[in-house]
Amino acid sequence: MKNKIIRLMVTLVLLSSINTVIAQDNKNVLVPLPSVDDFTKGENGWAFGLGLGVEYESAYEGSDEFGFEAQPAGAVQWRNDNHIYYFAGEAFGWRSLVSDEWLLDAVVGFDEGREKGDSDDGRLDGLGDQEEGFELVFQARRSFTPDWRYWLVGRLVAGEEGNLGLFGIGQRFGEQTDGTGSEVNLVVVVHDSEYANKGFGVNEEQSAASGLEEIKLSGGIRSIGLDYNYRHNINESWQLYGEALFEYYSSEVRDSPIARSDYEAEVGISVIYVF
């Protein structure tokens, strides 16, 4: 009995030491996830990351056309302990580690909409242009381990033309806890009928102008997706960030004449300078 107690005490001490090391290694980032940028290096106050990325992606949702596009990368951030407020691209956001297991993120941004010129092959002719609009994005992640090795993720996108939800699981690879390494998320995406028809619906007027068959979607499951993220510190100031997305559409979405492909895909790489 005495030996069992000693072994238990030793185990508890070791676990406590491991958690302490993790906390020390992780003190320079809010959470050790490659998909969550943190340029503050653990310090309160302002932080800046500026860079450029190149993406190879579908021309629009459901497109069978792909192309390269240059995108700005990085963000302006202000950290106050476990809270980070940031401006990235056209989005303003707040991110907070409200406990060791919960990460919350709220963003006000823009939906870029869709223009007929997005298709070089004229696939969108007659469908009209969709204007940009505000959207609110709320995301929560719940980790199962102190080092954020496995987690659940949920996301809600609420916009002027419908709502979209995402639910899934994620895993981080590698031994680093400084925000570098790689991670993967497997998700199920759902949308309401308004959001579904914004991207894939064809009303009577659009059908007459485009020659496409009229269709009205009911909403529900939109797709199953896979998201891979990678981040590497080249040196103290330079970061390399990569992302790959794959989304396989549900049968209802695939039935839309706008969906020329059964899936949507994107691959991107960015180089960021951290000031």
Side-chain angles (χ1 to χ4, degrees), residues 125-187:
D125 291 351
L127 296 179
D129 294 338
Q130 297 176 351
E131 297 181 356
E132 284 190 349
F134 281 102
E135 63 180 17
L136 176 64
V137 181
F138 178 77
Q139 179 171 267
R141 299 199 202 192
R142 202 284 186 188
S143 177
F144 294 114
T145 60
D147 60 351
W148 283 80
R149 179 68 63 185
Y150 309 98
W151 60 86
L152 291 176
V153 59
R155 182 186 303 160
L156 174 64
V157 181
E160 299 177 47
E161 297 187 64
N163 307 292
L164 176 143
L166 176 153
F167 309 93
I169 56 176
Q171 179 179 357
R172 182 176 62 84
F173 303 95
E175 300 303 322
Q176 311 96 310
T177 56
D178 59 355
T180 61
S182 60
E183 72 177 68
V184 65
N185 296 272
L186 178 64
V187 300

Side-chain angles (χ1 to χ4, degrees), residues 33-260:
L33 299 181
S35 61
V36 180
D37 53 25
D38 184 350
F39 305 133
T40 65
K41 301 180 181 179
E43 298 179 2
N44 286 339
W46 291 102
F48 304 88
L50 182 62
L52 182 66
V54 178
E55 296 178 350
Y56 183 72
E57 59 183 350
S58 305
Y60 57 90
E61 292 182 343
S63 175
D64 58 357
E65 305 169 56
F66 289 80
F68 288 96
E69 184 177 0
Q71 294 278 3
V76 177
Q77 301 176 340
W78 187 77
R79 181 166 182 169
N80 180 21
D81 296 329
N82 286 335
H83 306 276
I84 292 180
Y85 305 87
Y86 61 91
F87 170 69
E90 296 180 322
F92 292 90
W94 161 80
R95 183 179 298 140
S96 178
L97 187 65
V98 295
S99 71
D100 291 340
E101 300 86 13
W102 283 98
L103 175 69
L104 303 182
D105 203 332
V107 182
V108 177
F110 286 95
D111 177 4
E112 295 181 356
R114 187 184 67 196
E115 300 178 355
K116 66 179 182 179
D118 290 340
S119 173
D120 294 333
D121 296 338
R123 305 290 196 186
L124 300 175
D125 291 351
L127 296 179
D129 294 338
Q130 297 176 351
E131 297 181 356
E132 284 190 349
F134 281 102
E135 63 180 17
L136 176 64
V137 181
F138 178 77
Q139 179 171 267
R141 299 199 202 192
R142 202 284 186 188
S143 177
F144 294 114
T145 60
D147 60 351
W148 283 80
R149 179 68 63 185
Y150 309 98
W151 60 86
L152 291 176
V153 59
R155 182 186 303 160
L156 174 64
V157 181
E160 299 177 47
E161 297 187 64
N163 307 292
L164 176 143
L166 176 153
F167 309 93
I169 56 176
Q171 179 179 357
R172 182 176 62 84
F173 303 95
E175 300 303 322
Q176 311 96 310
T177 56
D178 59 355
T180 61
S182 60
E183 72 177 68
V184 65
N185 296 272
L186 178 64
V187 300
V188 175
V189 185
V190 298
H191 52 194
D192 61 19
S193 59
E194 189 176 3
Y195 197 99
N197 286 290
K198 178 189 70 170
F200 298 100
V202 180
N203 60 32
E204 183 178 358
E205 181 180 351
Q206 291 173 322
S207 178
S210 66
L212 298 178
E213 182 181 354
E214 184 179 350
I215 186 172
K216 184 175 182 179
L217 281 68
S218 61
I221 295 179
R222 168 192 171 97
S223 62
I224 296 176
L226 195 67
D227 175 14
Y228 174 81
N229 296 271
Y230 172 81
R231 192 179 300 273
H232 173 68
N233 288 333
I234 301 173
N235 55 37
E236 187 176 350
S237 298
W238 288 98
Q239 282 189 1
L240 183 68
Y241 175 71
E243 183 178 21
L245 304 170
F246 179 81
E247 183 179 5
Y248 185 76
Y249 294 128
S250 67
S251 57
E252 184 184 43
V253 173
R254 298 198 305 270
D255 287 341
S256 168
I258 295 178
R260 303 281 179 169

